[in-house]
Amino acid sequence: QLRLVESGGGLVQPGGSLRLSCVPSGFSLVNSAIGWFRQAPGKEREGISCISVTGTNEIYLDSVKGRFTISRDNGKNTVYLQMNSLKPEDTAVYYCAVDWRPKWDFCTTNKVRYDTWGQGTQVTVSS
C-alpha cells in the first residue's frame, strides 16, 4: 500500500520555526512532484507549496512566501518544508502529496493533480 508519512509538526510560539518531513512508504519520490497542503478547521484544504522533480522549480502560496522553504533530498527519498516566522494563522493540519505525472519539470499546488496523500501532521502556532 502506497502511503506518505508526515512528521515534524507540533506546538510553537509565534515567530518560531518547524521543519516538516514527508517520507514515502513503499515507493520512491524521485520521479514525482511533491506538494505541501494545509487545512485549518472549517476551511478548505489549500496548496501552500510544491517542488518539481529535480527541485529546480518551486511554488509558494503568497501568504507563506519568504517564510517557508520547500526542499527535497532524492538520496534520502524525503521532502521537507522549513517553516520560519510562524504565525497563528499558520495553524492547520499539514499534508504532503504526490503528483505522479508532473508536466515536465514543473509543479502545481492544485490539489486535483495529487493522488497519494499522507495522514497529516498538526501544526499549532500559539503563545
Side-chain angles (χ1 to χ4, degrees), residues 1-61:
Q1 183 178 1
L2 304 180
R3 64 189 184 101
L4 295 165
V5 179
E6 302 95 337
S7 62
L11 173 63
V12 63
Q13 292 187 342
S17 299
L18 288 172
R19 188 176 80 157
L20 306 184
S21 298
C22 174
V23 179
S25 177
F27 63 98
S28 171
L29 296 176
V30 170
N31 295 315
S32 304
I34 305 300
W36 280 99
F37 300 79
R38 68 185 180 188
Q39 188 166 18
K43 295 188 177 181
E44 289 192 5
R45 190 172 299 188
E46 63 177 354
I48 54 173
S49 186
C50 67
I51 188 166
S52 65
V53 171
T54 65
T56 301
N57 293 300
E58 303 166 8
I59 294 175
Y60 296 94
L61 185 68

Side-chain angles (χ1 to χ4, degrees), residues 6-124:
E6 302 95 337
S7 62
L11 173 63
V12 63
Q13 292 187 342
S17 299
L18 288 172
R19 188 176 80 157
L20 306 184
S21 298
C22 174
V23 179
S25 177
F27 63 98
S28 171
L29 296 176
V30 170
N31 295 315
S32 304
I34 305 300
W36 280 99
F37 300 79
R38 68 185 180 188
Q39 188 166 18
K43 295 188 177 181
E44 289 192 5
R45 190 172 299 188
E46 63 177 354
I48 54 173
S49 186
C50 67
I51 188 166
S52 65
V53 171
T54 65
T56 301
N57 293 300
E58 303 166 8
I59 294 175
Y60 296 94
L61 185 68
D62 284 347
S63 62
V64 307
K65 280 181 183 176
R67 300 189 297 122
F68 290 11
T69 303
I70 192 170
S71 63
R72 65 190 300 161
D73 185 335
N74 286 340
K76 293 183 178 180
N77 205 23
T78 302
V79 174
Y80 304 97
L81 185 68
Q82 178 67 43
M83 306 188 296
N84 299 328
S85 302
L86 282 161
K87 304 175 181 180
E89 51 263 44
D90 294 318
T91 295
V93 178
Y94 283 69
Y95 302 88
C96 61
V98 179
D99 178 356
W100 293 101
R101 298 171 301 278
K103 296 182 179 180
W104 301 103
D105 193 25
F106 296 103
C107 68
T108 176
T109 53
N110 186 343
K111 57 183 180 286
V112 300
R113 289 283 309 174
Y114 292 84
D115 299 313
T116 301
W117 294 79
Q119 82 292 344
T121 185
Q122 176 70 46
V123 172
T124 302

